[in-house]
Structure formats: structure tokens, C-alpha cells
Amino acid sequence: MLVGPNPDLAFVKGVMFGGRKQFLVDNLEEKGFSDFVSKLSQRTASYTKTPLASSWCEFASLIELDRAIYEALKAKYPNVLALIGAASAELGIGKVYKSLDNAELVKFLESQALFHSQFQKFGHVTFTKSPNGGRMTCSDYGCYSPIFCASAVGFYLESILRHGGNDPTVTETKCVTLGDAVCVFEMHWK
């Protein structure tokens, strides 16, 4: 579900489609991927077949893709939404960051909040460090989706793991789709 007062103003960078494409190819193989994409709208299929990292794409297309992935793979992977978030982190972090360690994790999470507008043309994100982790707060979203929040959990978990964090947990403690004013992700690691 995509809800909110301004869904037509919400855009995300095409790089978000890249990790999802890789996840689908890894799990469905090329033929299954082609069959899967053929069931998407033309716009979403185009973004998925050829993800262009620097292109701005409609947030609604990302949600359409995530919903379709969920429906296709939920029986095999009940946590598939977290897995596609993790795939997005794997692609983005693995290609950009070469030397990862726990000391850089907080800097990475702070940069995610700072550069939020480079990946999404809606909303604001702030990161607050805590003794054993941190909190990511997402506010002022013109539209939102529980599907996107579920994939964010996987993105943050994979980000923590890739930076050497141990025993991570990520819990969404507030969500706009449940009536809260903001979405809050509490993150803990050792």
C-alpha cells in the first residue's frame, strides 16, 4: 500500500532497483526473472530490467516491485522484504565502501541521514547515536508504505553486519502507517 497526501511527488534513485534485480536473478534465474518482470507495469518493468543508478524513479514503482517480490517469494522466504532491503545494502555498500569496520558504522549511518536527499526526493531522516546503537527517524514523508519500512529493516541490518557489527537488531518502533507522526528504527549491535 502506498498512502499519503503527495505520492506523485515521491521519487527514489534507480540504484534502489539494482539490488532488487540482483536478488530476483539470484533466486529466480534469468528465465524466472523475465517471467516475473513481464507481470509488472511497463514503467516498473523498465526500471527493474535496466536499473540506472542515477535516474529518479517513481516511489510507486519501487513499491509495486516490492509488493510483487513479496507475493512471488513469501512462501519460500517469509522475511523477503527484509531480504530485498539487505540486497540493496549489499549492492550499495559492497560497491562503494571497500574498507568496512565497526568504527565506521556510526559515520556510515550518519551519512545515510545526511545524504538522504541524494536517494529519495521526499522526507527527512535523522540519526541519533545511542550507547549500543542508534535510532533512525524518518519524518515529513509525503507518502509511505509498510512494504518500504519492512525493507528498511533489512537494509539497516545488512549495513550493520557489513560494518562488523555483531548480533544486530533493528526494530521499527513507530510507523506512520500505524498512525504515528514518524517512522523510527531502533538499531542495536555489539
Side-chain angles (χ1 to χ4, degrees):
M1 174 188 329
L2 183 61
V3 295
N6 297 310
D8 294 337
L9 301 178
F11 290 85
V12 297
K13 280 289 183 157
V15 70
M16 292 188 178
F17 289 83
R20 286 155 170 86
K21 177 183 179 180
Q22 189 60 54
F23 178 83
L24 287 167
V25 170
D26 289 349
N27 283 280
L28 301 175
E29 300 180 351
E30 286 296 335
K31 170 85 170 91
F33 174 73
S34 294
D35 292 344
F36 174 87
V37 170
S38 72
K39 298 172 188 167
L40 298 171
S41 70
Q42 184 177 356
R43 178 180 74 193
T44 302
S46 175
Y47 294 152
T48 307
K49 286 189 277 189
T50 311
L52 301 174
S54 62
S55 296
W56 285 107
C57 307
E58 291 80 357
F59 182 55
S61 283
L62 186 70
I63 299 307
E64 176 190 349
L65 175 59
D66 287 359
R67 185 180 296 120
I69 293 170
Y70 177 76
E71 290 302 325
L73 295 172
K74 67 183 178 188
K76 184 175 181 180
Y77 303 111
N79 63 337
V80 69
L81 294 173
L83 292 174
I84 59 176
S88 184
E90 180 180 5
L91 178 69
I93 295 169
K95 299 267 188 215
V96 175
Y97 295 89
K98 301 301 177 203
S99 175
L100 303 176
D101 61 38
N102 205 334
E104 293 295 314
L105 177 55
V106 170
K107 288 181 187 175
F108 171 80
L109 293 169
E110 289 170 339
S111 74
Q112 288 296 298
L114 182 64
F115 296 109
H116 171 79
S117 64
Q118 301 297 312
F119 298 98
Q120 293 179 214
K121 278 195 175 179
F122 59 100
H124 299 93
V125 176
T126 57
F127 175 76
T128 308
K129 188 176 177 342
S130 64
N132 296 316
R135 173 183 304 115
M136 203 67 82
T137 302
C138 306
S139 60
D140 301 323
Y141 274 44
C143 66
Y144 35 85
S145 169
I147 290 171
F148 190 63
C149 291
S151 71
V153 169
F155 179 87
Y156 294 133
L157 279 169
E158 186 68 20
S159 297
I160 294 166
L161 289 168
R162 288 193 167 267
H163 282 85
N166 293 311
D167 300 324
T169 61
V170 177
T171 306
E172 186 179 23
T173 58
K174 292 184 180 183
C175 187
V176 174
T177 63
L178 298 175
D180 295 310
V182 296
C183 292
V184 175
F185 297 88
E186 297 287 347
M187 298 175 269
H188 302 279
W189 62 86
K190 295 179 184 173

